[in-house]
Amino acid sequence: MKKDDYMDLDFSDIEAHFPLDRREFIKLFGGGIVILVSLTDAEALLQQRRRRFRPELPEDFNAFLRIGEDGRVSCFTGKVELGQGIITSLAQMLADELEVSLDSVDMVMGDTDLCPWDMGTFGSMSTRFFGPPLREAAAKARAVLMELAAEHLQTPLSKLKAKDGVIFDKTQNKNQVTYAQLTKGKKIAKKLERKATLKPLSEFTIIGKPVSRTDAAEKVTGKAVFAGDIRLPGMLYARILRPPSHGAKIKSVDTSAAEKIKEVRVVKDEDFIAVLHKHPDEAEKALSKVKAQYDLPEAKVDDKTIFDHLLKVAPERETVAQGGNLQTGEKLSAHIVEETYLNSYVAHAPTETHTAIAKIEGNKATVWASTQRPFGAKEEVAEALGFPSKDVRIIPPFVGGGFGGKNQNRQAVEAARLAKLTGKPVQVAWTRAEEFFYDTFRPAAVVKIKSGIKDTGKIFLWDYTVYFAGERGSQQFYDIPHHRTASTGGGWRGTPGSHPFGTGAWRAPSNNTNTFARESQIDIMALRAGIDPLEFRLKNLKDKRMIGVLTTAAEKFGWTKSKAGNGRGYGISLGIDSGTYVAHMAEVEVDKKGAVQVKRVVCAQDMGLVINPEGAKMQMEGCITMGLGYALTEEIRFKGGEIFDLNFDTYEIPRFSWLPKIETVLIDAKDSPHQGGGEPAIICMGAVVANAIYDAVGARLFQLPMTPERIRAEMP
Amino acid sequence: MRETISFKLNDKPTRLTLDGERMLLWALRSELSLTGTKFGCGEGCCGVCTVLVNNEAVRSCQFPVKDVKGKEVITIEGLANNGNFHPLQKAFIKHNALQCGFCTPGMILNAYSLLLKNPQPTHKEILQGMEENLCRCASYARIVMAIKTAAKEMKRGGNR
Ligand code: FES
Ligand code: FES
C-alpha cells in the first residue's frame, strides 16, 4: 500500500445534508477555492470533493487559540471529545508549539459559534488532519508573540526564548514579559510576515509524553456535563411516538388519554407526534397512553436471508486495486482456496443515547447535542427550522461515546422542531430502544475471496470482492503478483433498497469486515501450505512497517508454532487503518459447547509519531476489548424493518468477565507523521479470534459473530 | 400517589413531595437536578444509574423513590469528602480508568459497595462484582486496576 494512500478517507460516504450551491460553497469555505467549482475535469472534481470535506482551515491563527488576560489559553477546535482523548492530545500539541504549560490550556470543542468549521469527529482524523494546522497556528502565534516581545523588551529576537507562557532574554532572565501582558486578552492583530517553523522532534517537551486525561477529575465527580445534564428554566422533556418497524406508516392515532394528564402537552405535526412534560418519566408515562395504528410493510428479509438478498441486489463491482493478471495467477497456483465470509449487522450502542436540548430565543436557535458532527447538525437543524444557518448554534458538551453512531443528528433536529412548536426549551433523550431502532448499524456484508498459492507457500493469486461493507481496509498488503480487489454496494450506507434500515460508519468502518475475511483466508492458505501462520505471513510480506509490527507482536507474545485441537489456540491477524499498522496475536480457550474465552491479546501498533502514548494505549485496549463483541456476540436480529434487539439484555456487549490479559506495544516511529489511533486496533479482532478458535478446536468460522452455536456447527 | 418522602441525600436531610412510585433516577436527575447519575438503558441492564442506598449499590432506574424513605442515599456528587476525592476517584484518575466517562459514576459507586462488602477482593471477585456494569468504551482493564489500587489505599486507612 502506498504511503499516502488514504483510501480510508472516502468522504463520498459522508453525505452533505445540505445542498452546496456556489454561493454557500464560497461562504463555507472562503473565496480561495471558487475556481474549483467551475472546473469539470475529473481531477478538479476529485479535488473539489476532497476540499469540500477538508476545506481550508482559517489562515488566521486567532481562530484556533486565544490567550486570556489571566494567561490561560483557549484552544478552539471543531472536534468533539467522545472518550477518545483528544481533549488531552490536541491540548498537548497546542501547548508544546505555543510554549505554554499543558494545564494552562482550556479546550473549547465543537461549539459552532466559536470554533473553526470541522467536518466531524470520525475516521481517526483529529490528530492526523486537525493536528498539523493546529500546531502550525500555535507556532505562528508563538512567532508573533516573540516579535511583539522583541519590541516590548527592546531586545533582538535572537536573544529571546519562550517557555511556559513567558518570553525572556536568555542573557538576562529578569528582562521578561508574559503572553498575557503582550496580548491583554485581545485578539492578536499582528500578522506574521515570515513562515512559522514547527518545533523539531528533539525539542518536544509535551508531545510524545504520556499524559493523563485532563477531563478525568470532572468525570469521576459527576461534574462533567453531557447533553442530558443541561437544565434550562421552563424546559420540557419530550417523548416521541415511534413506529413498530422501519417503513411502517401511521394509520390513525388517538392522543386523547394522554392529553387528559395534568401538565402534559401533546404536539402533532403530521406524523411527528410527541408528548412533553417537565419530568422525563412523566412524559414517558403519557406516551404509553397514546394509541396508534400502523400499516406494516411486508417483511422481505431477516437476519438469515439478508446475505442472499445483498448478493442479489449488489450493483456492478468497482475495482479498488489490481496488478498482474488473474488468469496467470490461477495457472501458477498449486492450490486454490475459494471462500465466502459473512458479517451481521452490528450496533454502535454508545452508553449515552442520542440526546439534545434545544432553545429558541428570538430568531436564534441553540442546541446542545451529543453529536460527532456539530457543523452537520447546524445545517440539519437550520433546514428543519427554516432558519438561516448562521442563526443556529450547536454546542456539544461531553459526548458519552459515539463510534460513528453519533454522526447522525436526528435527535437534535427533533429537539429543535419541538422547541419551535412549543415555544419552550425541549430535551429529547432517546430511550435505549430508540437508540437501537434508529441506529445506523454497521452493515451486514459479504466478502468473496479466491486465492492461490504455490507449493512453496508463496501467494500468487488474490481475487477479492467485498459486498456492502465499503472499501476501507479492503486492499491487501501482501506481496502478491496477480491480484484484484473490488468493492460494491455503495459503501457502508448501502444502495437504495439494500438494507431494511439505516446503516453507517462503525468504528473503523469496512475495515473490521475486510480484515476478518482477508486474515482468515491467509490462515486457511497457510494451513493448506502446511506452514505456520506467522512464517507464512512473513514469507509473503515485503512492507517493512508491517513486518515490523508483526515481528514485534510475535516477540512479545512468544509465538510458538500453533497446534490445533486441545481447546486452547493461538491466532494472528494484521491490518492497516487510518495510516496505522497493527498486528494482533491472541490466545483463546474454547469449551465443548463452543463458548470462547479470550485469554490474552497482544497488539503491536505503528502509528508514526505518538502524541500521547498513554492515550494511545488506552485506545488500543478499548479497541481490543470492544472488538470482542462483534467477534463473539454482537448481532442485530430483525425481520424486515422490525428490530428485535432493543436493549443490552439480548444484545450482548463485552463485560468485565470477558476481559483478556491485554498487552500493547507502540512502535517507536517518531520520524513519520502521526496517524489515527482511535480505531486501528479494533480491526483485527474478528480474524485473530477466528484463527485462534480454529487452532483450538479445528472449527473454521466464516460468519461474524462467532456464537457458540455457530462454533459447534463447525466443530469436527 | 403523591407523598412526602424524607431521606438523607449526600449527608443532607432531603424531602421530596412526589408520586412515590416514580424511580429514584428521575427524582435525582429532574426533581433535584443531580445529573451525575446517568441514564443508560432504563431497564436495569447497564448500571450507569447506580447509586448507594444505605451503602448498597442499587439501580436507580428500577428503584421506586418511596423505598428510600428514612434511608441514606449517596450519589457520585456526594462521594468526595470536603473536596477530598475518595480513594476510588483518585485511583480512577490515576489509571485513566475512563474514556467518555458516562459509565464512570455508576462504576465507582458499584465498586464502592463491592469494597465495603469485600475490602480485599481478588481479581476474579472484582470481575464478578462488577459484571453487571457495562462500559461500551471498554475501559474494563483499567477499571479493575483502579479498584485494586483503591482497595490497597483504603486498607492503609485512607477511607476518605
Ligand atoms: S439505566 Fe439503570 S441500569 Fe441502565
Ligand atoms: S467510559 Fe465510556 S462507557 Fe465507560
Side-chain angles (χ1 to χ4, degrees):
Chain A
M1 183 155 145
K2 292 194 299 295
K3 183 137 185 271
D4 229 9
D5 198 349
Y6 289 127
M7 184 54 82
D8 45 319
L9 296 177
D10 184 359
F11 297 138
S12 59
D13 277 324
I14 295 152
E15 246 171 50
H17 286 266
F18 46 97
L20 276 178
D21 68 15
R22 185 187 161 93
R23 188 175 35 84
E24 279 173 311
F25 204 88
I26 297 167
K27 188 179 73 202
L28 269 175
F29 306 136
I33 52 165
V34 180
I35 48 152
L36 288 172
V37 181
S38 56
L39 289 183
T40 51
D41 62 278
E43 178 53 19
L45 272 173
L46 195 69
Q47 269 190 40
Q48 171 186 335
R49 199 178 86 189
R50 278 196 201 127
R51 294 246 188 168
R52 175 156 138 200
F53 294 110
R54 277 173 66 183
E56 302 296 301
L57 281 158
E59 272 292 308
D60 183 357
F61 59 77
N62 286 292
F64 297 87
L65 60 100
R66 182 81 36 93
I67 298 165
E69 267 176 297
D70 54 359
R72 295 199 65 78
V73 183
S74 302
C75 172
F76 302 97
T77 172
K79 299 287 177 202
V80 175
E81 176 59 43
L82 314 152
Q84 80 284 41
I86 54 170
I87 194 170
T88 310
S89 56
L90 292 179
Q92 280 180 277
M93 292 193 196
L94 176 89
D96 212 332
E97 288 292 350
L98 189 60
E99 292 294 359
V100 296
S101 69
L102 184 61
D103 5 309
S104 70
V105 180
D106 298 315
M107 296 298 295
V108 180
M109 307 182 77
D111 184 325
T112 59
D113 269 14
L114 302 178
C115 303
W117 186 90
D118 185 81
M119 173 175 36
T121 309
F122 45 72
S124 291
M125 294 189 288
S126 298
T127 50
R128 274 193 297 168
F129 300 126
F130 184 75
L134 176 65
R135 278 176 62 191
E136 203 177 303
K140 271 192 204 161
R142 172 174 33 97
V144 166
L145 287 161
M146 293 288 273
E147 285 178 6
L148 289 171
E151 281 165 37
H152 184 93
L153 300 172
Q154 296 292 318
T155 309
L157 259 182
S158 58
K159 281 194 176 170
L160 295 180
K161 187 169 163 55
K163 183 93 205 131
D164 284 345
V166 181
I167 300 175
F168 56 91
D169 184 339
K170 281 184 273 190
T171 57
Q172 199 190 336
N173 264 355
K174 284 216 191 77
N175 191 21
Q176 55 163 256
V177 61
T178 65
Y179 287 1
Q181 286 165 340
L182 287 170
T183 58
K184 304 193 180 69
K186 300 226 174 60
K187 214 166 126 162
I188 306 170
K190 192 177 165 75
K191 282 233 162 61
L192 189 65
E193 301 305 339
R194 56 203 166 82
K195 229 177 123 44
T197 37
L198 294 184
K199 269 184 166 182
L201 276 175
S202 57
E203 283 175 27
F204 286 158
T205 54
I206 306 174
I207 293 177
K209 301 283 174 305
V211 167
S212 290
R213 295 191 67 101
T214 51
D215 55 359
E218 282 168 271
K219 288 179 173 174
V220 300
T221 50
K223 292 209 178 79
V225 172
F226 295 83
D229 302 338
I230 295 187
R231 297 286 173 271
L232 299 175
M235 70 186 271
L236 297 175
Y237 295 83
R239 291 280 290 108
I240 299 164
L241 184 69
R242 304 298 188 186
S245 89
H246 291 275
K249 292 258 166 332
I250 198 158
K251 268 200 308 209
S252 66
V253 59
D254 175 7
T255 56
S256 55
E259 272 158 56
K260 285 198 197 100
I261 305 173
K262 228 171 85 193
E263 294 180 293
V264 165
R265 276 188 74 167
V266 176
V267 169
K268 283 191 233 174
D269 185 9
E270 294 179 7
D271 283 3
F272 183 55
I273 295 158
V275 292
L276 301 98
H277 188 275
K278 66 179 198 290
H279 297 302
D281 48 336
E282 300 287 354
E284 168 83 39
K285 223 185 279 168
L287 183 70
S288 67
K289 299 268 183 319
V290 175
K291 297 278 167 277
Q293 307 227 288
Y294 292 87
D295 273 331
L296 298 179
E298 187 202 339
K300 293 208 180 80
V301 285
D302 60 27
D303 43 86
K304 306 235 161 34
T305 59
I306 184 71
F307 304 105
D308 285 341
H309 161 77
L310 289 176
L311 288 173
K312 215 161 37 200
V313 300
E316 199 148 324
R317 55 188 182 173
E318 285 171 35
T319 301
V320 178
Q322 61 184 341
N325 179 306
L326 295 182
Q327 274 149 6
T328 316
E330 189 160 351
K331 260 190 236 132
L332 291 172
S333 300
H335 309 280
I336 298 286
V337 178
E338 219 173 335
E339 299 294 356
T340 301
Y341 299 87
L342 310 176
N343 176 145
S344 304
Y345 291 101
V346 179
H348 295 89
T351 309
E352 177 206 33
T353 58
H354 277 68
T355 303
I357 168 157
K359 172 180 89 169
I360 298 178
E361 261 170 1
N363 55 5
K364 174 102 191 171
T366 307
V367 184
W368 290 262
S370 55
T371 174
Q372 293 180 245
R373 257 179 354 105
F375 287 86
K378 179 183 163 98
E379 302 303 330
E380 289 161 43
V381 167
E383 197 183 290
L385 295 180
F387 281 23
S389 68
K390 71 169 180 24
D391 293 332
V392 176
R393 178 182 186 182
I394 307 289
I395 307 174
F398 280 118
V399 178
F403 317 110
K406 287 178 183 159
N407 291 341
Q408 313 305 323
N409 297 312
R410 184 187 187 110
Q411 93 287 14
V413 170
E414 290 173 341
R417 282 178 73 183
L418 289 168
K420 192 177 175 194
L421 289 164
T422 59
K424 300 261 186 192
V426 172
Q427 182 184 111
V428 171
W430 285 359
T431 61
R432 184 52 62 186
E434 289 174 296
E435 187 71 24
F436 273 100
F437 186 78
Y438 284 119
D439 194 7
T440 46
F441 301 121
R442 174 169 125 191
V446 180
V447 176
K448 286 179 177 283
I449 314 177
K450 183 175 185 184
S451 62
I453 39 172
K454 274 204 172 175
D455 276 332
T456 55
K458 183 96 184 67
I459 312 173
F460 264 75
L461 170 71
W462 187 260
D463 186 2
Y464 184 101
T465 306
V466 51
Y467 301 79
F468 291 94
E471 63 194 58
R472 177 161 153 181
S474 63
Q475 289 187 65
Q476 61 82 23
F477 38 75
Y478 293 91
D479 180 34
I480 305 175
H482 307 286
H483 65 93
R484 175 182 62 185
T485 300
S487 171
T488 174
W492 49 74
R493 282 174 186 276
T495 44
S498 51
H499 301 294
F501 29 66
T503 57
W506 191 98
R507 199 174 196 175
S510 323
N511 213 337
N512 294 297
T513 306
N514 284 315
T515 298
F516 166 64
R518 181 190 60 247
E519 295 297 308
S520 297
Q521 183 87 358
I522 295 288
D523 258 44
I524 295 174
M525 289 195 291
L527 186 79
R528 274 286 191 93
I531 303 175
D532 175 76
L534 170 63
E535 207 186 311
F536 183 79
R537 283 180 173 80
L538 286 170
K539 214 180 180 70
N540 285 288
L541 278 171
K542 260 200 182 143
D543 186 325
K544 288 220 171 61
R545 286 179 74 191
M546 192 51 90
I547 294 170
V549 287
L550 177 56
T551 48
T552 306
E555 203 169 295
K556 179 93 192 170
F557 189 82
W559 181 269
T560 46
K561 292 231 184 317
S562 52
K563 45 187 177 342
N566 58 358
R568 280 230 173 190
Y570 305 136
I572 309 181
S573 173
L574 307 175
I576 303 174
D577 187 77
S578 308
T580 292
Y581 284 61
V582 285
H584 288 54
M585 292 195 175
E587 178 180 345
V588 304
E589 203 172 74
V590 187
D591 70 14
K592 294 215 169 53
K593 292 192 192 115
V596 177
Q597 177 81 33
V598 178
K599 296 297 216 188
R600 182 174 174 228
V601 179
V602 166
C603 171
Q605 175 164 305
D606 178 347
M607 59 190 303
L609 170 68
V610 186
I611 305 295
N612 182 2
E614 175 75 359
K617 289 189 159 223
M618 266 189 266
Q619 285 303 302
M620 290 164 76
E621 294 161 17
C623 278
I624 289 165
T625 315
M626 184 184 187
L628 291 175
Y630 80 73
L632 296 172
T633 51
E634 288 184 42
E635 159 175 38
I636 289 293
R637 268 76 51 100
F638 66 96
K639 186 159 188 233
E642 191 183 355
I643 314 281
F644 298 138
D645 293 290
L646 295 170
N647 212 326
F648 297 118
D649 49 352
T650 61
Y651 191 86
E652 283 180 66
I653 66 170
R655 304 173 169 264
F656 276 95
S657 62
W658 294 32
L659 197 58
K661 180 163 189 262
I662 298 173
E663 293 152 79
T664 56
V665 192
L666 286 165
I667 306 285
D668 185 9
K670 286 196 202 63
D671 297 327
S672 35
H674 37 80
Q675 305 292 353
E679 304 176 289
I682 199 169
I683 61 175
C684 287
M685 292 314 294
V688 77
V689 175
N691 290 338
I693 291 174
Y694 182 81
D695 190 39
V697 292
R700 173 55 63 185
L701 276 290
F702 292 96
Q703 180 172 4
L704 292 178
M706 300 175 281
T707 56
E709 200 182 18
R710 289 188 184 128
I711 292 173
R712 275 200 311 272
E714 298 300 330
M715 276 188 185
Chain B
M1 195 194 56
R2 276 177 90 78
E3 55 188 310
T4 299
I5 292 159
S6 302
F7 59 106
K8 210 153 142 208
L9 174 61
N10 296 333
D11 271 347
K12 280 192 215 81
T14 303
R15 201 187 247 272
L16 278 177
T17 303
L18 77 180
D19 174 356
E21 298 296 333
R22 288 178 61 196
M23 296 302 157
L24 178 59
L25 174 64
W26 305 115
L28 293 169
R29 287 188 57 84
S30 104
E31 297 276 351
L32 298 161
S33 289
L34 277 181
T35 56
T37 308
K38 304 298 183 202
F39 165 83
C41 71
E43 294 180 6
C45 303
C46 74
V48 308
C49 64
T50 302
V51 300
L52 301 170
V53 176
N54 285 355
N55 276 335
E56 185 83 32
V58 306
R59 311 224 138 169
S60 64
C61 74
Q62 303 291 299
F63 200 86
V65 67
K66 66 174 169 30
D67 292 350
V68 302
K69 230 180 267 173
K71 295 190 178 155
E72 177 168 12
V73 177
I74 298 176
T75 68
I76 193 68
E77 289 92 343
L79 197 59
N81 196 5
N82 291 326
N84 294 326
F85 284 175
H86 185 273
L88 273 163
Q89 291 173 309
K90 280 191 241 165
F92 268 64
I93 296 175
K94 176 173 174 213
H95 291 286
N96 286 300
L98 54 95
Q99 294 175 53
C100 78
F102 203 76
C103 69
T104 312
M107 289 288 178
I108 291 178
L109 293 173
N110 198 67
Y112 178 99
S113 138
L114 170 73
L115 292 182
L116 269 187
K117 279 187 239 159
N118 181 359
Q120 296 299 312
T122 61
H123 181 81
K124 214 167 168 191
E125 285 165 348
I126 293 176
L127 299 184
Q128 274 164 4
M130 299 297 294
E131 181 70 352
E132 300 299 319
N133 281 59
L134 300 179
C135 173
R136 185 54 158 167
C137 304
S139 299
Y140 298 125
R142 286 165 185 268
I143 296 174
V144 173
M145 283 196 276
I147 295 173
K148 288 180 183 167
T149 299
K152 267 191 219 134
E153 167 80 18
M154 286 160 77
K155 189 178 171 195
R156 285 210 308 266
N159 208 345
R160 276 213 165 181

